[in-house]
Amino acid sequence: MSLRSGFISAAIIASLACSVPHATAHAAPGQLSRLSLLPLHDGLNTFESPLGPFSVFQAWRDNGNAWGYHMYVLTTVIDKRTSVIGIEGSTETPDHSFEDHLRDSPHTGEDALTTVQFAHGELDGKPATLLFEAIRNPKDGPVTSRGPTIIYIYSLVASDGVPGWTPLYFHFVKKIAVPGTFCSSDIALKVATGLPLSADAGPPSSPDGCFP
């Protein structure tokens, strides 16, 4: 990691303060720390969490061109039944407030538009299982163009039993804008969190993923 990337990463990690779900008014805002990647491969991936074991099923959807993608279905076992783990929508997705799967958009692998990663870490000083979704927007330019990246951060929590919600779900915590512009959401997420690149990410061509 370059010195500039290190400064950006440290600044972003320091800024990851968020409101803990259902926190009381006097509770201090949370922060993320001690992040460690949960590596994924195609097929079933099973991990421990503060709420018990959970699994991520990763599969590749090939369509014969650069627009293939991975699909992720998250599950756990509740009362001896395999139960889907939902994903709470962010404030920007009012029409999709609760999802039952995820997908990335790696494009060619060197110019990814959407990157999904899971990690263990601490949220407000407590152990947490986290989901990061980095979305890069090249705006009106081609996919390979530089663009800003927004990272959406989620934490695995237990539902309070509201109908329509899964027993466990990833609660939307916060979004952050990564300083600068990037040609790969994989690189932007690495710069922001310090987590290593996913196994399917293309090799970095430069600190911002852009070709000279």
Side-chain angles (χ1 to χ4, degrees), residues 99-119:
E99 299 288 351
D100 55 13
H101 68 277
L102 293 163
R103 57 185 281 186
D104 64 6
S105 183
H107 200 240
T108 66
E110 296 178 339
D111 52 4
L113 292 166
T114 301
T115 301
V116 172
Q117 284 190 335
F118 296 85

Side-chain angles (χ1 to χ4, degrees), residues 36-42 44-47 56 58 117-120 196-199:
S36 61
L37 180 69
L38 299 181
L40 299 177
H41 55 75
D42 286 351
L44 191 65
N45 304 263
T46 300
F47 307 102
V56 180
Q58 173 182 294
Q117 284 190 335
F118 296 85
H120 284 324
L197 293 173
S198 299

Side-chain angles (χ1 to χ4, degrees), residues 174-196:
K174 187 183 178 74
K175 70 174 184 178
I176 58 172
V178 186
T181 55
F182 294 84
C183 296
S184 168
S185 54
D186 294 329
I187 302 299
L189 184 56
K190 174 179 172 59
V191 168
T193 64
L195 293 171

Side-chain angles (χ1 to χ4, degrees), residues 71-91:
M71 180 170 287
Y72 308 88
V73 177
L74 321 178
T75 63
T76 189
V77 176
I78 303 290
D79 296 330
K80 298 182 180 181
R81 298 190 64 180
T82 301
S83 175
V84 168
I85 296 174
I87 305 96
E88 181 182 27
S90 73
T91 54

Side-chain angles (χ1 to χ4, degrees), residues 10 19 29 35 38 42 58 62 66 96 129 131 133 142 187-188 192 199-200:
S19 297
L35 300 179
L38 299 181
D42 286 351
Q58 173 182 294
D62 197 353
H96 303 279
T129 297
L131 161 64
E133 183 180 30
I187 302 299
D200 293 309

